[in-house]
Amino acid sequence: MASTSTSLIPLRGHGRKASFSSSPAKTALKKALRFSFSSKSSVVICVKSSSGAVKYNEVVVDEEMDKIRRLQNGSDVRGIALEGEKGRTVDLTPPAVEAIAESFGEWIIKALEKERGRPVEDVTVSLGKDPRISGASLSVAVFAGLARAGCLTFEMGLATTPACFMSTLLPPFAYDASIMMTASHLPYTRNGLKFFTKKGGLTSPEVEEICDEAARKYANRLTKVSTMLNSPPKKVDFMRAYAKHLRDIIKERVNHPIHYDTPLKGFQIIVNAGNGSGGFFTWDVLDQLGADTFGSLHLNPNGMFPNHIPNPEDKTAMALTRAAVLENTADLGIVFDTDVDRSGVVDNNGNPINGDKLIALMSAVVLKEHPGTTIVTDARTSMELTRFITDRGGHHCLYRVGYRNVIDKGVHLNQDGVETHLMMETSGHGALKENYFLDDGAYMVVKIIIEMVRMTLEGSDEGIGSLIKDLEEPLESIELRMNIISEPKYAKARGREVIEAFRSYIEECQLKGWELDACGDCWVSEGCLVDSNDSPAAIDAHMYRAKVSNEKNDEIGWVHIRQSIHNPNIAINMQSSVPGCCQLMTKVFRDKFLLASGMDKILDFSQVDKYAKLGKMG
């Protein structure tokens, strides 16, 4: 048997996967690798055979690569950027961000070369960020990585996610690509990256490809972030141009017969920016158009978010905005999330409009302009919303959870000849065909403001909330979470195991009266609501929705179970039109599925158990 010896040599540059040959050598190498490595190095194994020939194999340590892969969050990258979360360590480090930015730059260059059929030079990439306090140091890492890739960089400073995309389109900027540094509504300790080209946001498979390449760079790189840049980023004031773009849309579409340039004169509109990036909408859009914005809240950016979570779903954010609207007898209240790709509103009577209500409001506006259009939402929306849309002549397409999934479904429907003008998720992400299929919270609000002014010009004084006065709400609605008991790297596989077991139990009729739900031309397959063609899009996380019927075969509610993209847990959403039905469905879910299948062994289902016993969470 050939003798073997090993020596450890630090790697420099890009690594390649090892190719082990004979079985004895492979066994020896595996034994040699059973120890811990630092986060900034990998190894080369030198294998010497009895013949004296030496073969060097660059071995990229899987654990080091997994650190980067685990940062992928669907079509984004997110992680812990600062200490402060109990039990969580910093993983979105400058070296990690640099490797990801470099891989994105290389990906852009390759894509442009393929598209144009020739080598490309002077590829331009912009970077915007929300006010998080980790943004400064991580920005340096982004610019360093893009410079390594050979890109020209432009610093937008404080910006919004939609503005970053628009920086690839609006002249004279029209960059080849853009990155937004944000973690949306998550705590100040988090941060992340969103990626755009002129075609829109990157898909999950594309981000996965970039993270895979970045993982190899990260695992093999010994050098720290390259803070010395040969070509520092050029600072640009794109937000001014973006604000003018929004103002022009309002002026042109309102076309006020008396004061064209100040169509919002006489309206009081309150903005709650939550100390995120949305303050610009007050100063550079509403004020410039003549609106009275007195009473607006938390406009100054503060990366610690001291007042409340910048999130239109947050109860505190909505309550404060509602109080300000009522106190000032304002016509409209607006709530933005941190990076302004989501929004919610409060009508002149102080009624919060988010979730299903916001989808209904936008549906009412869009169906006036495009009668009969299809509206795509995620599968957590209510049966009442479906009736609201269809009563107005629209078509409702239920699709899987995840704003990119919902938007991409709308894009595909239009490509297939199905007119689809609105795509919205219950979280507040909403995109319109007329706006490049971009989820832009500010643009959503622009549409609502235009409709509000039009209604006033037509003689109505009811306010924007009157458009959804006939929307009924589900009698019962609950969301429960189950934490996956597993190491982070195994959580995704464990979660999928639970979701697939749920599907099997329903298909085998072990849950009486439960049936996998269907919607129009879609059916439940491959872990989600997918197209009826044979090539469904890649999925971010597995999920199913089941409709639940009583003994008379009357549908009384539904249960939606999905694997979280953000955290190692499983979410269960339920809605019902029958009193006590959500608690009943929870009991069946616990007893007939979790306990019967043994899935309780890998899940912390204390929330499910509590609701099953008490019928409430508090």
Side-chain angles (χ1 to χ4, degrees):
M1 183 173 71
S3 62
T4 62
S5 63
T6 61
S7 61
L8 305 182
I9 306 172
L11 284 183
R12 298 184 185 276
H14 303 295
R16 299 184 302 276
K17 289 185 178 179
S19 56
F20 299 114
S21 51
S22 65
S23 178
K26 182 186 296 185
T27 301
L29 288 172
K30 285 183 177 178
K31 289 180 179 178
L33 288 174
R34 289 174 183 167
F35 54 88
S36 299
F37 296 91
S38 70
S39 62
K40 295 182 180 178
S41 65
S42 187
V43 294
V44 169
I45 305 298
C46 172
V47 182
K48 187 174 182 180
S49 68
S50 58
S51 64
V54 177
K55 181 178 182 180
Y56 291 93
N57 297 277
E58 297 178 358
V59 181
V60 180
V61 182
D62 287 342
E63 179 58 32
E64 296 303 304
M65 296 178 70
D66 282 344
K67 289 180 180 178
I68 301 298
R69 292 190 178 112
R70 287 198 293 267
L71 292 173
Q72 183 185 357
N73 182 73
S75 57
D76 307 340
V77 165
R78 285 185 187 172
I80 309 292
L82 295 172
E83 298 286 354
E85 294 190 39
K86 187 177 180 180
R88 302 291 295 270
T89 57
V90 172
D91 53 10
L92 192 71
T93 61
V97 169
E98 184 197 16
I100 293 169
E102 180 183 358
S103 296
F104 175 63
E106 292 173 346
W107 185 90
I108 288 295
I109 291 170
K110 290 177 183 177
L112 289 174
E113 288 179 342
K114 181 179 180 181
E115 179 182 312
R116 299 173 185 176
R118 57 176 174 79
V120 295
E121 295 180 351
D122 299 335
V123 172
T124 56
V125 183
S126 64
L127 171 69
K129 62 179 184 293
D130 73 18
R132 292 169 192 275
I133 59 177
S134 59
S137 61
L138 295 182
S139 292
V140 174
V142 170
F143 290 128
L146 292 173
R148 277 180 180 262
C151 299
L152 299 179
T153 54
F154 297 83
E155 183 177 2
M156 294 169 58
L158 185 69
T160 70
T161 293
C164 283
F165 168 68
M166 293 302 295
S167 75
T168 69
L169 300 179
L170 290 183
F173 305 92
Y175 305 122
D176 293 306
S178 185
I179 298 175
M180 175 66 182
M181 185 178 293
T182 183
S184 188
H185 62 282
L186 296 178
Y188 76 93
T189 51
R190 308 286 182 99
N191 217 327
L193 303 171
K194 296 184 178 182
F195 307 96
F196 298 95
T197 69
K198 294 178 186 295
K199 297 178 181 179
L202 266 60
T203 64
S204 294
E206 289 168 338
V207 175
E208 182 178 1
E209 179 185 341
I210 289 166
C211 286
D212 279 344
E213 183 59 36
R216 286 187 280 273
K217 290 179 171 64
Y218 178 80
N220 294 324
R221 184 168 290 158
L222 295 175
T223 58
K224 295 182 178 180
V225 174
S226 308
T227 55
M228 299 298 291
L229 301 176
N230 294 328
S231 178
K234 180 181 178 181
K235 292 186 178 181
V236 294
D237 186 6
F238 178 77
M239 289 303 293
R240 186 186 301 274
Y242 175 65
K244 181 181 182 301
H245 167 70
L246 296 179
R247 292 198 307 269
D248 289 345
I249 291 171
I250 294 174
K251 288 192 290 186
E252 291 168 7
R253 296 187 186 175
V254 169
N255 193 22
H256 201 286
I258 301 173
H259 34 87
Y260 178 87
D261 289 324
T262 54
L264 303 186
K265 187 177 180 180
F267 290 90
Q268 184 172 10
I269 302 175
I270 286 173
V271 174
N272 183 349
N275 300 112
S277 298
F280 86 97
F281 194 79
T282 308
W283 308 311
D284 295 335
V285 179
L286 300 179
D287 288 349
Q288 299 293 321
L289 295 175
D292 176 2
T293 57
F294 179 81
S296 290
L297 304 165
H298 318 316
L299 301 182
N300 294 321
N302 185 327
M304 297 296 291
F305 311 122
N307 293 291
H308 58 73
I309 299 170
N311 184 358
E313 293 183 289
D314 181 65
K315 292 182 179 179
T316 301
M318 273 294 180
L320 290 173
T321 309
R322 178 180 185 273
V325 167
L326 293 175
E327 181 181 348
N328 293 278
T329 60
D331 298 287
L332 187 70
I334 299 166
V335 181
F336 288 126
D337 77 335
T338 315
D339 58 323
V340 197
D341 60 356
R342 295 186 297 136
S343 58
V345 297
V346 175
D347 71 10
N348 60 337
N349 293 315
N351 298 311
I353 301 176
N354 54 13
D356 279 10
K357 291 181 180 179
L358 184 62
I359 298 174
L361 177 58
M362 288 303 304
S363 298
V365 172
V366 170
L367 283 166
K368 280 187 177 183
E369 300 172 345
H370 305 284
T373 192
T374 293
I375 292 162
V376 182
T377 73
D378 65 85
R380 294 171 297 177
T381 55
S382 67
M383 294 180 284
E384 289 77 10
L385 177 65
T386 299
R387 283 194 288 269
F388 180 90
I389 292 171
T390 55
D391 285 349
R392 282 159 177 76
H395 301 279
H396 187 194
C397 173
L398 289 166
Y399 204 53
R400 58 180 181 257
V401 176
Y403 73 94
R404 284 303 321 172
N405 294 328
V406 172
I407 293 172
D408 289 345
K409 175 64 173 177
V411 172
H412 295 150
L413 285 173
N414 278 287
Q415 291 172 347
D416 291 341
V418 180
E419 186 183 72
T420 306
H421 284 274
L422 176 64
M423 301 118 262
M424 287 199 72
E425 196 187 34
T426 51
S427 64
H429 280 285
L432 289 147
K433 179 182 179 181
E434 69 188 50
N435 192 41
Y436 308 99
F437 297 98
L438 173 66
D439 52 320
D440 185 343
Y443 193 89
M444 283 286 169
V445 169
V446 162
K447 293 285 290 184
I448 292 170
I449 288 173
I450 291 169
E451 183 62 27
M452 179 181 70
V453 178
R454 285 175 175 171
M455 289 172 65
T456 302
L457 289 174
E458 292 169 0
S460 173
D461 59 357
E462 289 188 308
I464 201 74
S466 64
L467 294 179
I468 58 170
K469 61 185 177 183
D470 59 332
L471 173 69
E472 297 180 7
E473 296 187 52
L475 183 65
E476 294 185 343
S477 183
I478 187 69
E479 178 174 290
L480 304 169
R481 295 271 176 169
M482 302 185 297
N483 290 324
I484 300 170
I485 304 171
S486 170
E487 292 182 47
K489 62 182 178 181
Y490 301 125
K492 187 174 182 179
R494 286 292 181 94
R496 179 169 181 168
E497 181 183 345
V498 174
I499 304 295
E500 291 304 312
F502 177 75
R503 182 198 67 175
S504 297
Y505 261 61
I506 293 176
E507 288 180 337
E508 294 167 5
C509 301
Q510 298 191 52
L511 301 177
K512 188 176 179 181
W514 294 41
E515 181 183 353
L516 291 181
D517 207 354
C519 167
D521 293 329
C522 302
W523 75 94
V524 178
S525 174
E526 300 299 324
C528 54
L529 295 168
V530 300
D531 299 322
S532 56
N533 60 35
D534 294 326
S535 56
I539 59 176
D540 289 329
H542 276 67
M543 60 190 74
Y544 291 102
R545 172 164 153 165
K547 60 182 179 181
V548 180
S549 302
N550 60 18
E551 295 178 353
K552 298 179 180 178
N553 208 31
D554 297 324
E555 186 174 348
I556 57 175
W558 55 258
V559 177
H560 185 276
I561 179 172
R562 75 185 187 282
Q563 190 175 11
S564 173
I565 298 174
H566 306 297
N567 298 296
N569 64 47
I570 290 173
I572 307 110
N573 289 84
M574 300 182 187
Q575 285 190 7
S576 176
S577 57
V578 177
C581 187
C582 280
Q583 184 182 14
L584 176 62
M585 291 189 295
T586 303
K587 288 179 180 179
V588 172
F589 182 82
R590 179 194 62 185
D591 298 339
K592 302 296 184 181
F593 170 59
L594 291 178
L595 296 176
S597 67
M599 290 299 153
D600 59 308
K601 304 295 190 301
I602 61 174
L603 295 169
D604 172 9
F605 67 104
S606 53
Q607 271 197 12
V608 172
D609 189 52
K610 183 176 182 179
Y611 188 79
K613 291 176 179 176
L614 304 177
K616 59 183 179 179
M617 293 304 300

